[in-house]
Amino acid sequence: MKYRLLTKEQLEELHAEFSKFLATQQIDAKEWKSIKMENPTVADEELAIFSDVVWEDVLTKTSFLDHISENHMNLFECSETEISRIYIKLNDVTKSFLKSEDFKWFVKNPFHTSIEYFKATKKYDSDRNLELFKLIELGSVISKGELYSSISQLID
């Protein structure tokens, strides 16, 4: 398995897609129930294959990731060959990027002395999608890139 199994909630959301996936393997609903009961190892393998297919599709379409914590923000732009990162450090420990009023303060005061910016770009060390998956597993979320684009224009 390249990634990880989808959660039960994710699988429930993708029920229709999973049914189509099984159909491509010539497995109908009745046969799937039988496989789950009589051969759970095969059922687990099918779920693993489906999970990898879904993750691969999602990660291939991913262009931006955000990871926001109390005093740090990591914003990533993920091209095909390299990843660009904007790192923002909030040195004022009385404020938090996770608090709405503090985030609004940050937006209004982006050049305050308590805020540091760093920007870098690097080629992927290994498989692009695996690197993005690792970032997601560490807490990054897929985004549309609005924050990355805004901050990038601000500091360039």
Side-chain angles (χ1 to χ4, degrees), residues 75-107:
L75 310 172
F76 302 96
E77 180 178 33
C78 316
S79 74
E80 286 185 33
T81 59
E82 62 187 20
I83 188 166
S84 296
R85 173 186 179 205
I86 296 173
Y87 170 70
I88 306 160
K89 182 178 180 185
L90 181 58
N91 292 313
D92 183 347
V93 293
T94 66
K95 296 196 182 305
S96 167
F97 287 128
L98 300 177
K99 293 180 185 171
S100 180
E101 72 253 15
D102 291 344
F103 195 86
K104 288 176 187 172
W105 171 85
F106 161 69
V107 170

Side-chain angles (χ1 to χ4, degrees), residues 46-67:
E46 290 297 328
L47 288 170
I49 293 167
F50 178 70
S51 293
D52 275 350
V53 167
V54 169
W55 275 115
E56 195 68 31
D57 183 52
V58 167
L59 294 166
T60 298
K61 293 175 182 173
T62 297
S63 298
F64 294 94
L65 294 171
D66 297 347
H67 187 254

Side-chain angles (χ1 to χ4, degrees), residues 114-146:
S114 66
I115 302 168
E116 294 180 64
Y117 296 91
F118 304 93
K119 188 173 183 181
T121 300
K122 74 170 191 81
K123 300 231 181 270
Y124 296 107
D125 292 327
S126 61
D127 177 82
R128 173 197 184 272
N129 289 355
L130 270 177
E131 287 195 38
L132 300 187
F133 180 75
K134 288 175 186 172
L135 289 170
I136 290 170
E137 291 291 282
L138 291 171
S140 293
V141 294
I142 298 168
S143 75
K144 293 181 182 175
E146 292 106 342

Side-chain angles (χ1 to χ4, degrees), residues 1 4-18 36 47-48 50-51 54-55:
M1 174 157 219
R4 69 162 165 76
L5 283 177
L6 296 170
T7 64
K8 182 179 178 183
E9 293 79 15
Q10 290 168 326
L11 285 168
E12 287 171 1
E13 287 290 319
L14 295 169
H15 176 75
E17 289 82 354
F18 186 62
K36 288 193 304 184
L47 288 170
F50 178 70
S51 293
V54 169
W55 275 115

